[in-house]
Amino acid sequence: MRFSSEEILETIGMIAEDRLDVRTVTLGISLWDCSDPDPRACGRKVADKIRARAGRLGEVATVLEAEFGIPIVNTRVSLTPLAWVVPRAEPEAFLEVARAVDEAGADVGVNFVGGFSALVHKGATEVDQALIRAVPRVLAETERLCSSVVLASTRTGINMDACLEMGRIVRETARLTADRDGIGCAKLVVFANPVEDNPFMAGAFLGPGEPEATVLVGVSGPGAVRRALEGLAPDADLGQVAETIKKTAFKITRMGELVGREVARRLGARFGILDLSLAPTPAEGDSVARILEAMGLARAGAPGSTAAVMMLNDAVKKGGVFASSSVGGLSGAFIPVSEDAGMIQAAAEGVLTLEKLEAMTAVCSVGLDMVAVPGDTSAETLAGIIADEMAIGVANGKTTAVRIIPAPGKVAGDRVRFGGLLGEAPVMPVNPTSCAGFVGRGGRIPAPVQGFRN
Amino acid sequence: MARKIVVTVLGRDQVGIVAKVATALAEATVNIEDINQKILGGDIFAMTLLADMERSPLSLAELSRTLEEALEGMGLKVMVQDAEVFRYMHRV
């Protein structure tokens, strides 16, 4: 096998200059054998299993990083939703297990553990309710745990009682972490139609159809896509733009598959999926918004942004599915605000509004992500924002999510700063018109007609 | 089992780069199978080579350090990578 020097230098340029990396190697660990009505025993079983399965994860990642010359930025663990593991309808029981999980995560050197999760899209059990009530304290008192709650699906509709409850939980989480700009909310996501093999945080949990241990790889590379587009002639039409994105996505996906298979082999786990999601970081150049700018928009959020994101997301998927038969997770483009330098700029300039962002989420991966809103935003208004985003996912048969931070003590135009990968965000204004009467009705918005496929 | 690697050297062009790399690889019992060198943009030296380190006593990380030491002080960047990276990325 020979490679041209152009091919070799292209790969090296993607890694060295365009920040192409394996964003996360996430080990999914099943906890079906860890259930125990005694919270202390349950916590011990879960922690022991994390240590046994993920003990060598960091070491394997470090060795592969050197051999392949590809940065592996994070190692993480995702778990069976804890609402199915801790059979106690008491928030204190969940706190105890969460602390044990956090310690085990620290021991194996991962920066996040996903799976403090409940699935209540049709209704909540008493155990689910206890987990949800424990969320604010768990996110305030642990470092690594991430929480996700499923509120809606195309098959079941939207659980509006749970939307309102999560509006309150989000506010309470912000309050308990007010000294750090409400950072607890950055580790809390609500979903419609979640995927069960997601490697990315905060929404990773391991679904019920998954094996004992599975390697889930998240690759990123918005910089590489932007660079490829900048290499196009200025008069290249959008068909050529889509083709270029597709080819770049293919290459990035192949690299991720190589890493995933090798990690799995060395850990003695199954290779699960590869998730090629253009996931930005706050570093300049590692931005999805800058891809939109390379396509010809002056800023993300300008008219045309929804069309541009649709094309980007679709081309990424097409390149990915051709490159690997193991594509899973979310696989598309993420548009978190605080984690993307171009999105931060667009939001700070007022070009990108919450409403335009919501429209863009209808055609790309995930949803309203890492959005800071004024600290006095009511639980009802948060629930209305959540319900709108859930509706987009339910009606389109796709995943949508909300990760929103009502920044304590802040008003529109202020900034929240989380640091690291979570970045910083301008506080975006929220439409002040009340939706309390609507969300206060509670109940369930029935499944849409497209949910009835049998 | 064959263990193919790709060595890339980038930096300011100067006398003796290829010789130093080839000597270090020979001393490490690494067999060069293909080599390509060019000057990019006037004065940036770029060399890529494909080699087999099956018979080398060194690990990939050790070989990488050996090459870095051989080129020390010349202001060059050297990378050693498993060739699988390029096969996966550029071949269907």
Side-chain angles (χ1 to χ4, degrees):
Chain A
M1 179 67 66
R2 296 286 184 270
F3 310 101
S4 71
S5 55
E6 285 75 16
E7 287 171 333
I8 292 170
L9 293 172
E10 181 193 358
T11 299
I12 285 171
M14 284 167 111
I15 296 166
E17 290 165 35
D18 305 336
R19 297 175 185 277
L20 170 62
D21 56 41
V22 171
R23 183 57 49 80
T24 176
V25 174
T26 301
L27 184 67
I29 302 175
S30 165
L31 298 181
W32 289 120
D33 55 349
C34 297
S35 185
D36 195 305
D38 172 10
R40 182 163 299 175
C42 185
R44 194 169 54 237
K45 286 183 190 175
V46 173
D48 286 349
K49 190 153 187 189
I50 292 171
R51 290 189 184 98
R53 287 283 176 183
R56 291 179 50 242
L57 180 60
E59 173 201 327
V60 166
T62 305
V63 169
L64 281 182
E65 188 173 57
E67 289 188 9
F68 292 151
I70 299 163
I72 298 175
V73 183
N74 301 292
T75 53
R76 293 167 176 171
V77 163
S78 72
L79 303 172
T80 305
L82 283 171
W84 297 339
V85 180
V86 184
R88 290 285 287 269
E90 299 158 19
E92 286 299 324
F94 281 97
L95 264 163
E96 180 150 3
V97 174
R99 289 190 194 106
V101 171
D102 200 37
E103 276 178 30
D107 289 347
V108 300
V110 296
N111 61 352
F112 285 120
V113 178
F116 196 83
S117 307
L119 284 69
V120 300
H121 38 295
K122 202 166 180 194
T125 65
E126 289 179 5
V127 171
D128 291 327
Q129 287 168 351
L131 178 140
I132 289 170
R133 282 202 300 277
V135 164
R137 280 187 63 196
V138 164
L139 296 181
E141 294 174 24
T142 64
E143 200 176 320
R144 291 169 183 76
L145 248 71
C146 290
S147 178
S148 50
V149 179
V150 181
L151 302 178
S153 80
T154 301
R155 289 288 177 102
T156 64
I158 306 172
N159 181 344
M160 289 299 294
D161 293 320
C163 285
L164 183 53
E165 175 68 2
M166 287 313 296
R168 296 189 189 110
I169 294 289
V170 166
R171 274 190 64 84
E172 180 64 5
T173 303
R175 191 182 70 80
L176 291 186
T177 52
D179 57 331
R180 288 171 286 160
D181 277 350
I183 196 170
C185 297
K187 299 182 284 181
L188 172 59
V189 56
V190 294
F191 273 122
N193 298 322
V195 295
E196 301 185 2
D197 51 12
N198 173 13
F200 288 101
M201 297 296 169
F205 64 85
L206 193 69
E210 296 289 327
E212 192 66 24
T214 180
V215 173
L216 313 167
V217 173
V219 242
S220 188
V225 173
R226 191 206 72 238
R227 174 72 62 103
L229 293 184
E230 285 170 354
L232 279 175
D235 60 349
D237 75 10
L238 290 169
Q240 291 168 282
V241 170
E243 190 66 20
T244 303
I245 297 167
K246 207 166 71 176
K247 283 181 180 159
T248 311
F250 173 87
K251 291 173 186 169
I252 300 172
T253 305
R254 296 283 294 171
M255 186 199 74
E257 169 147 347
L258 170 66
V259 171
R261 289 197 179 282
E262 200 53 32
V263 170
R265 194 180 67 77
R266 295 186 190 196
L267 279 181
R270 269 204 219 181
F271 173 53
I273 58 96
L274 175 71
D275 183 334
L276 167 59
S277 281
L278 298 181
T281 69
E284 192 57 54
D286 205 16
S287 157
V288 170
R290 301 290 184 224
I291 297 176
L292 305 185
E293 292 174 14
M295 286 184 194
L297 297 169
R299 282 279 178 278
S305 296
T306 309
V309 168
M310 188 212 94
M311 186 177 76
L312 172 64
N313 199 64
D314 181 66
V316 165
K317 280 185 197 299
K318 285 173 178 163
V321 294
F322 181 48
S324 167
S325 299
S326 305
V327 167
L330 296 157
S331 289
F334 292 173
I335 48 172
V337 176
S338 79
E339 300 170 353
D340 185 314
M343 297 291 278
I344 293 170
Q345 186 181 10
E349 290 172 355
V351 177
L352 181 65
T353 61
L354 204 53
E355 286 73 18
K356 184 63 181 174
L357 190 62
E358 181 186 305
M360 290 160 71
T361 67
V363 295
C364 78
S365 286
V366 199
L368 293 175
D369 194 16
M370 292 302 287
V371 174
V373 295
D376 62 0
T377 308
S378 70
E380 288 77 12
T381 294
L382 289 170
I385 293 170
I386 289 170
D388 284 345
E389 193 61 37
M390 298 298 104
I392 289 171
V394 166
N396 291 305
K398 71 183 278 294
T399 303
T400 48
V402 177
R403 187 161 50 146
I404 193 165
I405 302 107
K410 303 272 168 111
V411 297
D414 288 348
R415 282 208 171 209
V416 291
R417 290 183 175 81
F418 302 122
L421 278 180
L422 297 172
E424 63 175 83
V427 175
M428 296 168 87
V430 169
N431 184 331
T433 313
S434 173
C435 63
F438 175 70
V439 299
R441 286 177 184 273
R444 182 161 59 92
I445 295 181
V449 69
Q450 56 266 46
F452 297 94
R453 284 194 182 163
N454 285 331
Chain B
M1 198 182 89
R3 176 89 199 264
K4 306 286 185 192
I5 56 166
V6 169
V7 178
T8 312
V9 182
L10 289 168
R12 189 174 58 82
D13 189 26
Q14 55 206 290
V15 173
I17 303 173
V18 177
K20 281 200 163 78
V21 171
T23 304
L25 290 175
E27 284 170 2
T29 333
V30 175
N31 186 39
I32 298 173
E33 297 186 346
D34 191 16
I35 183 163
N36 199 310
Q37 184 219 304
K38 58 175 66 178
I39 306 297
L40 305 171
D43 61 347
I44 304 290
F45 171 90
M47 182 185 78
T48 56
L49 69 82
L50 181 74
D52 187 352
M53 63 180 297
E54 181 194 1
R55 289 166 49 220
S56 177
L58 303 185
S59 71
L60 196 147
E62 287 165 344
L63 180 66
S64 184
R65 275 195 297 277
T66 302
L67 286 173
E68 276 168 19
E69 282 163 19
L71 298 175
E72 205 173 351
M74 297 176 76
L76 296 164
K77 190 170 164 61
V78 57
M79 280 152 288
V80 183
Q81 290 163 282
D82 193 317
E84 282 290 278
V85 172
F86 303 95
R87 187 174 74 80
Y88 259 78
M89 200 178 245
H90 295 288
R91 299 287 179 270
V92 178

